[in-house]
Amino acid sequence: MRSRFLWQIYGAFGLTMLLSILVFGFLASSQVQEDARQQIRNGLLTQAAILKLIFTPYLRDAKTIDLQEIAALVEAQEARITLIDADGLVLADNRESPSLMANHKQRPEIAQARLSGVGDAERFSETVGQNLLYLAVRVEDGGVLLGYVRLAVPTKSVAHQLAQLRNRMY
């Protein structure tokens, strides 16, 4: 009788431990994924801040921009760089000809950057045909809106980085 009671306690204790480990693992994994996404976003924000400094004179003086040369300045070689004027017209893009691109004024990341200075979105890009993580920053000079610098990375590279992090955890 006593032995059976102990086994029931051990079983309940083991089941509780297993359930606790699974719940903790799920919560920890979710937090690590969120932290990794925030780290990627912060990296894009740093790159966008640098590009903002470089592009401000181009936007202010309406100079022609050769993004192929400037793309080398971006740390992540797979990053897509887009320069957009205050009206949403694409002036330059290192992946596609601006003349083939629609007005970007209503894109979520641009609309958010217009209001708060920085905007981000994760969505499908019709231009390059894949899901991208976008980050846009507003470019101003003396309080006058000049345009936006936008960076984007494929979400598959974000997922790859998250998978590497998960593999290190387990």
Side-chain angles (χ1 to χ4, degrees):
M1 178 85 171
R2 220 169 131 184
S3 176
R4 184 173 176 198
F5 178 70
L6 283 176
W7 279 111
Q8 288 177 341
I9 289 176
Y10 289 148
F13 180 72
L15 189 59
T16 302
M17 289 292 290
L18 180 62
L19 188 60
S20 297
I21 290 170
L22 289 174
V23 168
F24 177 76
F26 175 75
L27 293 175
S29 177
S30 296
Q31 186 60 48
V32 166
Q33 286 184 20
E34 184 60 35
D35 290 348
R37 281 194 183 282
Q38 188 61 39
Q39 196 171 30
I40 291 165
R41 184 184 183 281
N42 289 343
L44 287 175
L45 190 57
T46 301
Q47 292 173 18
I50 293 168
L51 290 172
K52 178 180 172 180
L53 293 173
I54 294 168
F55 287 141
T56 299
Y58 289 97
L59 285 168
R60 183 179 42 238
D61 303 329
K63 295 179 182 175
T64 305
I65 302 158
D66 183 7
L67 262 185
Q68 299 308 328
E69 293 175 14
I70 296 172
L73 297 172
V74 180
E75 206 174 292
Q77 292 299 325
E78 63 191 13
R80 179 178 175 200
I81 310 166
T82 309
L83 186 63
I84 302 160
D85 75 3
D87 296 323
L89 179 69
V90 177
L91 301 173
D93 188 281
N94 67 337
R95 295 284 190 257
E96 188 64 61
S97 172
S99 61
L100 301 174
M101 298 172 73
N103 189 293
H104 281 41
K105 192 172 188 170
Q106 299 304 318
R107 302 288 163 96
E109 65 278 3
I110 300 299
Q112 189 180 7
R114 186 180 323 111
L115 297 174
S116 65
V118 177
D120 58 15
E122 191 172 319
R123 59 184 175 73
F124 185 77
S125 168
E126 296 292 334
T127 306
V128 295
Q130 60 183 337
N131 287 317
L132 297 175
L133 176 62
Y134 291 95
L135 184 121
V137 293
R138 185 175 58 209
V139 179
E140 294 179 318
D141 187 34
V144 176
L145 176 63
L146 299 175
Y148 308 91
V149 172
R150 184 180 73 174
L151 288 166
V153 292
T155 55
K156 67 179 178 183
S157 70
V158 174
H160 177 70
Q161 290 177 15
L162 292 174
Q164 285 180 326
L165 239 116
R166 261 193 311 274
N167 289 341
R168 283 188 223 147
M169 275 179 44
Y170 300 114

